[in-house]
Amino acid sequence: WKKKWNISFQAYPEQSYPTYCQGAGYALSRRFLDCAIGDGHAAMIRYMPNEDVAVGMLAERCNMKASSDNRVSIRFDKKNAIGNMYGNVVQHYVTTSDEMHIFHMNMRNSQ
């Protein structure tokens, strides 16, 4: 029996994972991308079936740490769409084009 996110010791032989973000979504800074991509770390890192851990491995190589941000929203409240999405950077469970447009309008209005 195999759990959904099980990673074998052959795929990752270290004792523990690096610190990493997990969940429905996260945002990456320009500084992180410049290091991970621009400095070639993404091309050299070993394959990791769990992309959350892979991003943690890149962050470790770039000497960066994850931080939380309350602008990441996991649930989309259809009854309170405008208030629910105002100022968010990541919004999950947006399922229609109308909801997407509301989200984009809120992003523009929060700048």
Side-chain angles (χ1 to χ4, degrees), residues 5 9-11 15-16 25 33 37 42 45 48 54 59 63 72 88 94-95 97 99 103:
W5 304 114
F9 190 70
Q10 288 77 23
Q15 289 286 335
S16 61
L33 293 172
I37 307 300
I45 204 159
M48 175 56 57
N63 211 16
V72 175
N88 288 354
V94 174
T95 57
S97 61
E99 293 169 357
F103 179 63

Side-chain angles (χ1 to χ4, degrees), residues 28 32 72:
L28 305 172
F32 173 80
V72 175

